[in-house]
Amino acid sequence: MSQKKISQFRNIGIMAHIDAGKTTVTERILYYTGKSYKIGEVHDGEAVMDWMQDEQDRGITITSAVTTCKWNQSVIQIIDTPGHVDFTVEVERALRVLDGAIGVFCAVGGVEPQSETVWRQADRYSVPRMAFINKMDRVGADFFGAVNSIRETLRANPVMLQLPMGSEDTFSGIIDLVHMKQITWDDETKGAEYATDDIAPEFEQIADEYREKLLEAISEVNDEIMEKYLSEEDIPVDEMMVAIRAATISRQIVPVFCGSALKNKGIQPLLDGISAYLPSPLDVPPVKGIHPETGDELVFLPRKKGPLAALIFKVSMIEGRKLSFARIYSGKIMAGSEVFNPLLKKKEKLSRILQMHANKRERLDEASAGEIVGIVGLKESGTGDTLCSQDSPVFLEKMEYADPVISIAIEPKTHADQEKIDSVLEKFTIEDPTLTVRKDEETGQTILSGMGELHLEIIISRMLKEFKTNVNVGNPQVVYREILTAQTTGRAVFEREISGKAHYARVGIRLVPLNRGEGITFASTAGEDQIPEQYIPAIEKGIRESLEGGYLKGYPLVDIAIVVEDGEFDERSSELGFSVCAAMACKDALDNASIGLLEPIMEVEVLVPDAHMGDAISDLNARGGKVESINSKAGIQIVKAVVPLAKMFGYSTALRSASQGRGTFSMKFSRFDKV
């Protein structure tokens, strides 16, 4: 694969709301590019990209899967990402290393809550995008409504390159507005064969109208096209395509395609669009990093012969072995060679390099700039770490993750399970940076914290099915935060003999509440004659660890300014002494403090038929929710509200009951607020 030119690579992600058809689109892409010999269906549990047992059982994508296929002259590396809000970290990790993305939208639902979330994530990483309006065969399909929702809800500039020929049960093919042709598919060959013809008379008028709108849209973002358009000159197809590509890569437009992946219509033109309009690694800005010692900004151009710069964006534990997924931005790696991890300041050996196809893999001798590969052999490097050469060290930008909002307690059923549980959870935390594990010292239980009920449910399910570890599971608990409501001071003296050595320290501190979201800050106003500089880090460590353990209910204290005001030392003083003394001073300050609780507040969007809206709103009100807006779309009411997470347990059952099984909802973390 490394013989391919960098300009031929297309590193893309497929992203959308749950159930918009991302995985079905990917399965068709694999079939028509010859990567799969048959079409895997999500509803049969046979999708190639949904290879985990839980994904097949539930019909949803949980973990992002990587695959590589070829279309014409392009090498397309695809990451199929989850649509459920509990797994947005998987989308975040994928977008960090992609050059382009396809947003899949349901022709009935248009822009849905999670598609908005992933779109905003792609905005953050400046990823050029195309849109694919899927499910044109469904009852209620509205192509123009879906395009309009992209414009209004996402504040994007969608430009239609295609029109559907009919909709719902009359959907028969597409009109290509760039080449002014119609494309229809042969059902007998599962869409593998298709015909390109002149546009049928009944579609000529609408095709002419929207071709004019397409030219108008391109002329607004391209001066050369503008001149020809105003002069009413003919604009060659090649020039149009170059202009569309440039505007897509600069994120001025979002080209819109359409089809029905399930009915095998619209995929080949989408593949043509990926090749023609989405960027190669050469078309996006070069990756930037920081020199670990000098702090200077470094730029790495996508060159095979440049210095190595690669980012590990995901780690999986498959069959007991650690598999690291890496995007190579510059340089090349070879099987059996060594790479340098500047964060750990260690060399690691690459025992094998793999080209990935979901959970199947093919060995490579080497891989270079532009490629996304699996690596076996990295013992200590983890998600977000940079791989480089020791003589050209660099830190690429680290990824940041949201804090967990929900916890459950687990305990092993047997002594044999106790021995397995720690190693299984260690594997999960290596794979998933949003899962945290801690031991409750009082009860001896293990506390798992994650992004939502489904997230933790999947973890428990994998423990049982994959690792045969049996556990008792407690009810989900909300992860609260503690805050100061007024400033407080604390003093402590530590004078003790430990292991035959005397220790002495005195510390006085002040804790001041900060605004929400400002975190914990630390400063010292004590003079060198009161506390020498060498002991300040130990004091900070002692206080921060105390705050982490909370005071009222054991939840972390947040948004506090720590100020060390005074202290005292003598020849017996040590870092240990000052660290313990600082923790004691912190406890003294908290003993006299006024402390409040913050709880996670969730943004909830409920889709419910008109007839059941009253019951749905009454239920939200009973849960302490505040309805912020109500909009209607095709007989469905869309209710947006904010509700405390503590009141949302069991909501899916309540909504099904209130709407006779026809209501759906999605939920994402909004903020912490006072209980």
Side-chain angles (χ1 to χ4, degrees):
M1 195 164 101
S2 292
Q3 303 310 310
K4 288 282 181 187
K5 294 178 182 173
I6 296 176
S7 60
Q8 291 174 293
F9 284 104
R10 299 290 181 272
N11 295 323
I12 64 163
I14 298 189
M15 57 186 207
H17 187 85
I18 192 167
D19 215 24
K22 291 180 310 305
T23 302
T24 307
V25 169
T26 312
E27 293 299 322
R28 297 314 186 268
I29 287 173
L30 295 180
Y31 180 67
Y32 298 133
T33 57
K35 195 73 184 183
S36 298
Y37 67 92
K38 69 169 203 161
I39 295 176
E41 299 292 10
V42 176
H43 52 265
D44 295 334
E46 291 182 356
V48 174
M49 301 299 277
D50 287 350
W51 55 271
M52 278 171 56
Q53 182 67 50
D54 273 296
E55 293 180 313
Q56 293 170 354
D57 292 348
R58 296 165 189 265
I60 62 170
T61 302
I62 293 166
T63 179
S64 54
V66 180
T67 192
T68 307
C69 55
K70 291 174 183 160
W71 182 253
N72 298 334
Q73 297 302 308
S74 297
V75 178
I76 303 173
Q77 300 187 110
I78 303 171
I79 302 182
D80 175 34
T81 60
H84 197 284
V85 69
D86 284 14
F87 307 108
T88 40
V89 65
E90 289 286 339
V91 186
E92 188 93 16
R93 295 199 280 196
L95 287 169
R96 173 70 178 80
V97 298
L98 292 173
D99 300 325
I102 299 170
V104 178
F105 300 91
C106 172
V108 181
V111 175
E112 295 171 281
Q114 185 60 8
S115 42
E116 189 174 352
T117 302
V118 294
W119 197 270
R120 301 282 174 246
Q121 287 174 308
D123 281 340
R124 193 180 322 144
Y125 291 111
S126 303
V127 178
R129 276 147 281 176
M130 301 192 326
F132 182 70
I133 310 295
N134 192 25
K135 303 194 178 185
M136 280 307 307
D137 59 310
R138 266 189 64 188
V139 175
D142 180 0
F143 174 72
F144 298 106
V147 173
N148 206 37
S149 70
I150 294 173
R151 182 177 291 109
E152 290 182 358
T153 309
L154 303 178
R155 300 283 184 267
N157 181 19
V159 174
M160 291 172 260
L161 304 191
Q162 296 178 347
L163 293 178
M165 295 165 64
S167 67
E168 302 181 354
D169 55 357
T170 65
F171 175 64
S172 58
I174 61 162
I175 294 164
D176 179 344
L177 294 173
V178 176
H179 297 89
M180 285 304 273
K181 295 286 183 182
Q182 73 174 34
I183 305 172
T184 51
W185 278 264
D186 177 14
D187 291 335
E188 302 219 346
T189 61
K190 292 188 175 174
E193 292 181 12
Y194 55 99
T196 303
D197 302 297
D198 291 333
I199 296 169
E202 65 266 32
F203 292 112
E204 278 180 357
Q205 188 179 341
I206 193 168
D208 288 339
E209 180 190 338
Y210 278 91
R211 163 76 169 205
E212 195 66 23
K213 289 185 178 181
L214 169 59
L215 289 170
E216 199 177 303
I218 304 171
S219 68
E220 285 176 7
V221 293
N222 187 291
D223 293 341
E224 290 171 22
I225 301 284
M226 170 74 85
E227 282 179 31
K228 290 190 175 181
Y229 179 67
L230 293 175
S231 310
E232 297 187 0
E233 287 179 48
D234 274 346
I235 300 170
V237 168
D238 289 354
E239 282 185 34
M240 277 181 71
M241 292 178 72
V242 168
I244 293 168
R245 178 179 175 77
T248 305
I249 291 170
S250 60
R251 299 191 301 123
Q252 292 173 286
I253 67 167
V254 176
V256 179
F257 295 74
C258 64
S260 167
L262 191 63
K263 295 292 169 67
N264 310 313
K265 292 177 171 68
I267 300 301
Q268 293 94 336
L270 179 67
L271 282 162
D272 289 338
I274 292 168
S275 296
Y277 306 125
L278 285 180
S280 77
L282 298 173
D283 298 313
V284 293
V287 71
K288 292 178 181 174
I290 301 292
H291 193 287
E293 284 149 26
T294 64
D296 295 339
E297 186 176 86
L298 304 172
V299 176
F300 287 81
L301 296 169
R303 289 183 187 147
K304 295 182 181 182
K305 293 184 178 175
L308 177 63
L311 182 78
I312 300 171
F313 66 94
K314 178 181 167 69
V315 172
S316 282
M317 303 298 290
I318 297 176
E319 297 163 5
R321 302 193 72 175
K322 185 174 174 181
L323 175 65
S324 306
F325 292 83
R327 161 73 193 264
I328 307 168
Y329 289 99
S330 169
K332 72 175 182 178
I333 55 174
M334 301 182 73
S337 65
E338 286 189 332
V339 292
F340 183 64
N341 183 325
L343 184 70
L344 305 175
K345 296 184 178 169
K346 283 186 179 177
K347 283 186 173 182
E348 294 238 57
K349 188 168 182 180
L350 310 175
S351 54
R352 277 192 282 164
I353 302 169
L354 306 168
Q355 182 179 322
M356 302 304 299
H357 178 44
N359 65 331
K360 299 181 179 67
R361 51 207 88 111
E362 179 187 322
R363 281 199 187 197
L364 299 172
D365 294 328
E366 62 175 60
S368 56
E371 295 186 46
I372 295 173
V373 292
I375 298 171
V376 178
L378 300 177
K379 290 187 170 60
E380 296 182 53
S381 299
T383 301
D385 284 1
T386 302
L387 301 178
C388 57
S389 57
Q390 195 162 3
D391 51 4
S392 302
V394 63
F395 282 134
L396 299 179
E397 182 191 356
K398 286 281 281 185
M399 294 179 237
E400 293 181 3
Y401 307 110
D403 291 333
V405 293
I406 189 168
S407 296
I408 51 170
I410 61 169
E411 52 190 27
K413 285 189 176 178
T414 66
H415 185 66
D417 292 321
Q418 173 68 62
E419 292 173 3
K420 280 166 53 177
I421 197 168
D422 291 336
S423 67
V424 170
L425 289 176
E426 186 185 355
K427 285 176 184 165
F428 286 154
T429 51
I430 288 170
E431 284 188 4
D432 185 351
T434 59
L435 178 72
T436 61
V437 179
R438 68 177 176 87
K439 276 275 196 301
D440 187 318
E441 299 301 333
E442 290 180 15
T443 63
Q445 292 175 318
T446 300
I447 310 296
L448 303 185
S449 302
M451 305 309 292
E453 281 185 274
L454 181 63
H455 184 199
L456 296 178
E457 201 180 302
I458 298 289
I459 295 293
I460 299 300
S461 175
R462 287 186 65 194
M463 289 180 81
L464 297 171
K465 291 176 184 172
E466 276 182 55
F467 297 96
K468 307 290 186 281
T469 309
N470 294 307
V471 290
N472 294 317
V473 183
N475 290 326
Q477 302 290 324
V478 174
V479 177
Y480 292 89
R481 296 283 185 271
E482 298 181 13
I483 52 163
L484 287 182
T485 54
Q487 66 174 294
T488 178
T489 58
R491 301 271 179 277
V493 176
F494 180 73
E495 194 168 7
R496 194 172 301 169
E497 190 174 296
I498 301 172
S499 303
K501 189 176 185 301
H503 296 267
Y504 173 78
R506 182 173 69 78
V507 176
I509 66 168
R510 183 159 43 93
L511 302 179
V512 182
L514 295 176
N515 293 327
R516 198 86 72 252
E518 287 189 19
I520 294 175
T521 65
F522 178 86
S524 173
T525 58
E528 187 82 12
D529 58 329
Q530 294 177 309
I531 305 175
E533 186 68 31
Q534 74 211 56
Y535 297 131
I536 297 296
I539 292 172
E540 180 177 1
K541 182 170 178 280
I543 298 172
R544 283 185 181 271
E545 285 177 355
S546 286
L547 295 177
E548 190 63 35
Y551 185 81
L552 273 186
K553 306 269 187 183
Y555 298 111
L557 275 143
V558 295
D559 302 332
I560 292 172
I562 307 163
V563 182
V564 179
E565 294 187 311
D566 56 62
E568 188 177 83
F569 73 102
D570 63 18
E571 69 280 354
R572 297 169 293 167
S573 295
S574 63
E575 288 186 6
L576 173 65
F578 269 106
S579 181
V580 175
C581 186
M584 291 165 60
C586 184
K587 184 178 184 308
D588 181 53
L590 295 176
D591 283 341
N592 306 313
S594 169
I595 297 175
L597 270 185
L598 296 179
E599 66 176 340
I601 304 294
M602 311 302 283
E603 279 180 31
V604 181
E605 182 164 291
V606 183
L607 277 69
V608 65
D610 295 346
H612 304 290
M613 187 179 74
D615 293 339
I617 289 177
S618 298
D619 187 54
L620 287 173
N621 289 337
R623 293 169 187 273
K626 292 179 186 168
V627 175
E628 295 190 324
S629 69
I630 301 172
N631 297 302
S632 62
K633 183 174 14 174
I636 297 288
Q637 296 291 334
I638 303 164
V639 182
K640 290 188 178 181
V642 288
V643 191
L645 175 61
K647 301 290 178 66
M648 287 301 289
F649 295 130
Y651 181 65
S652 55
T653 307
L655 179 63
R656 277 198 296 272
S657 171
S659 63
Q660 295 179 4
R662 294 166 64 201
T664 60
F665 80 103
S666 65
M667 179 170 73
K668 67 177 179 182
F669 173 73
S670 171
R671 63 183 185 274
F672 278 98
D673 222 334
K674 280 191 178 179
V675 174

